[in-house]
Amino acid sequence: MPNCTSKSAAMPVLDRLWHRCRLATLSSSRPGLGIIEDGIIASRGGRIVYAGAAADASSLLDAQERIDCDGRWITPGLIDCHTHLVYGGDRAGEFEQRLAGVSYEEIARAGGGILSTVRATRQASEDELVASARPRLAALMAEGMTTIEIKSGYGLELETERRQLRAARRLGRECPINVRTTFLGAHALPPEAKGDTAEYIETLCRDMLPTLAAEHLADAVDAFCESIAFSPEETAQVFSAARALGLPVRLHADQLSNLGGATLAARFGALSADHLEYASDEGVAAMAGTGTVAVLLPGAFYFIREKQVPPVDSFRRHGVPMALATDSNPGSSPLTSLLLAMNMGATLFRLTVDECIAGVTREAARALGMMTEVGSLEAGKWCDLAIWDIERPAELVYRMGFNPLHARVWRGEIQDRQ
Ligand SMILES: [Zn+2]
């Protein structure tokens, strides 16, 4: 009886197979975007088991679901590797005031600026923080984002920092996305510190950081090293404490002035140094030596009308990988679009199309220390995909305010089928 084979032997080995698609694999083993014109992606258990040319995959026929992509493009799911997505309130009123001619100093004296967000975040419950972050997250997901980094930094005391990180973790449990959390207690000096930076940093290193690390709420530690925030010495103190706890570090570095942030980040083997408008050639060389990724944030550059462009040529010359992110935050970058971040990366920073797309996929994964999990279409990684109605990858960078996403796939499951 030829049909009496056991049922399990006849079961499809694949969960899902996408065929007749064009792939931008972002594989580092191929030049540029790693383009495959007639491609196939196969998934099992949420992971990619094959991503490559159809011609090489003749054995991959049995799948529970076969999806004809009709020539659409597939990229890795997009990654936003630098956000402050979870916070209370917003700063639209302040934005309006500034446009009407009120100075930043006047707004700050009246309790505005970052401390107004700190106040609103301290007053918000975890439920409220989650609820207010959800629409921003939804906007990013609607453009194919599948992995996001979310920082704390609007609590500036243990309870609220913890609540922010818990809210971020919860978004990761409740929404079909990968979340990486970062503790940014060294974002600003809280008002109750009354100017005593040393004492605040001491408390942060002695109490806040070890407590949050023990609760596994932070995947990394960040700091804002700037004349208006924390000095290189104070930043080094935070980083030493983080490294002693086994946590990787990243840094808001050289955004408004050159304090040697890039060099400092490299000294601690930082995963990334972010902003970097004023980074020196020496700092860039140091980053190259430690594999520290340059995370460029054109949304903030645009919104606060910066003039100094980050040293893109220097990153290229030294072989420093470049990522792009939204820096989504209420004060300096209320941006929830990686597509627009790519367009700004190209128009404002003169990144190429390939650099922009790699910047929100493979290089963003590198900046999060997630290269083995996400960021390219390669066997073994999570099957996180963005499927696009486009004729060529350049369209993802070229348009402004247009979303050509056809479907988003997270861990092999189709989330938003158009
Ligand atoms: Zn930031």
Side-chain angles (χ1 to χ4, degrees), residues 52 102 104 153 193 310 326 415:
V102 184
Y104 186 80
T326 63
Q415 306 294 325

Side-chain angles (χ1 to χ4, degrees), residues 82-84 151 184 187 222 252 274-275 297 327 329 332:
H82 180 139
T83 86
H84 309 249
K151 302 175 197 295
L184 178 58
H187 192 192
D222 195 345
H252 285 69
D274 304 30
H275 288 291
L297 305 167
D327 193 16
N329 79 73
S332 64

Side-chain angles (χ1 to χ4, degrees), residues 24-354:
T25 62
L26 275 300
S27 156
S28 39
S29 62
R30 290 191 179 89
L33 297 177
I35 287 172
I36 294 171
E37 283 294 337
D38 183 12
I40 277 184
I41 295 181
S43 76
R44 183 170 54 221
R47 302 269 179 182
I48 295 172
V49 294
Y50 179 81
D56 302 335
S58 50
S59 62
L60 293 172
L61 295 174
D62 271 348
Q64 294 192 18
E65 187 179 7
R66 287 175 62 86
I67 297 152
D68 183 343
C69 291
D70 202 15
R72 290 189 178 87
W73 279 88
I74 302 185
T75 65
L78 305 190
I79 300 170
D80 197 348
C81 67
H82 180 139
T83 86
H84 309 249
L85 199 83
V86 170
Y87 55 83
D90 69 63
R91 306 249 282 278
E94 192 179 295
F95 178 66
E96 189 175 11
Q97 278 183 308
R98 291 191 66 179
L99 290 173
V102 184
S103 75
Y104 186 80
E105 287 69 30
E106 286 172 287
I107 289 168
R109 265 203 305 279
I114 189 169
L115 292 181
S116 71
T117 301
V118 171
R119 221 169 23 250
T121 306
R122 286 179 177 181
Q123 285 164 7
S125 67
E126 185 183 313
D127 284 350
E128 287 165 342
L129 290 176
V130 168
S132 66
R134 271 179 176 276
R136 296 189 282 271
L137 193 61
L140 287 160
M141 289 162 65
E143 291 183 350
M145 184 278 286
T146 50
T147 298
I148 186 169
E149 184 256 16
I150 303 175
K151 302 175 197 295
S152 66
Y154 292 119
L156 312 180
E157 41 80 19
L158 180 60
E159 279 310 310
T160 311
E161 290 288 316
R162 175 194 276 136
R163 204 157 63 249
Q164 272 192 282
L165 293 169
R166 287 175 59 94
R169 282 270 194 257
R170 210 170 111 191
L171 288 166
R173 284 194 305 275
E174 295 178 359
C175 306
I177 45 164
N178 312 308
V179 169
R180 274 289 196 275
T181 58
T182 302
F183 170 59
L184 178 58
H187 192 192
L189 192 64
E192 62 273 14
K194 298 196 186 334
D196 193 343
T197 316
E199 169 63 23
Y200 177 68
I201 291 294
E202 183 65 34
T203 307
L204 186 152
C205 295
R206 192 189 52 225
D207 302 331
M208 293 163 78
L209 186 47
T211 304
L212 297 169
E215 294 172 8
H216 303 292
L217 284 172
D219 299 315
V221 173
D222 195 345
F224 187 20
C225 181
E226 194 58 66
S227 54
I228 56 165
F230 297 96
S231 70
E233 294 71 27
E234 289 153 355
T235 303
Q237 212 181 323
V238 174
F239 280 5
S240 296
R243 300 302 286 140
L245 292 163
L247 288 170
V249 298
R250 53 199 334 113
L251 185 63
H252 285 69
D254 303 332
Q255 179 189 8
L256 307 170
S257 59
N258 178 14
L259 288 188
T263 308
L264 177 66
R267 178 148 70 86
F268 284 89
L271 285 171
S272 71
D274 304 30
H275 288 291
L276 295 170
E277 276 79 348
Y278 287 84
S280 65
D281 207 54
E282 181 193 356
V284 176
M287 288 172 64
T290 51
T292 299
V293 177
V295 177
L296 306 182
L297 305 167
F301 176 92
Y302 163 83
F303 195 77
I304 64 176
R305 299 180 202 163
E306 283 184 74
K307 296 283 182 286
Q308 175 86 14
V309 173
V312 167
D313 281 338
S314 179
F315 297 137
R316 288 178 182 138
R317 212 170 44 247
H318 290 283
V320 170
M322 290 181 279
L324 274 173
T326 63
D327 193 16
S328 187
N329 79 73
S332 64
S333 185
L335 173 63
T336 49
S337 168
L338 277 170
L339 292 175
L340 188 51
M342 278 197 276
N343 179 271
M344 288 176 170
T347 54
L348 301 174
F349 296 166
R350 293 289 168 212
L351 298 187
T352 65
V353 163
D354 288 10

